[in-house]
Amino acid sequence: MKDTAIIVITARSGLIKKEDDLIQALQNNEIAGAAIDTFDHEPLGDNPVHSCNSTM
C-alpha cells in the first residue's frame, strides 16, 4: 500500500483482519492515517491506536 494511503473503517465488516498490523503500519508511517469507527473488541480501553497521531 502507498505511504499516502488513508484507511477509513465505518462498519464491522472484517475488512481489517489484524488490527495489530494496522497499528504497526500507522506507527511505522507505512500509511498516512486511519479513520476508525469500530474495532474488533469494544469498548476500546487501553489500545496502542491511542498513541498513533495519524488516527481519528
Side-chain angles (χ1 to χ4, degrees):
M1 195 173 297
K2 291 183 176 183
D3 61 358
T4 56
I6 298 174
I7 296 177
V8 179
I9 303 170
T10 60
R12 295 182 205 278
S13 64
L15 175 65
I16 302 298
K17 298 294 182 189
K18 298 179 183 176
E19 287 180 4
D20 292 339
D21 291 343
L22 173 61
I23 293 167
Q24 181 179 351
L26 289 164
Q27 290 172 337
N28 294 332
N29 296 317
E30 295 171 17
I31 61 173
I36 308 168
D37 184 41
T38 62
F39 291 87
D40 287 339
H41 305 286
E42 293 183 349
L44 190 57
D46 187 27
N47 188 304
V49 77
H50 291 299
S51 66
C52 300
N53 293 331
S54 57
T55 306
M56 68 171 123

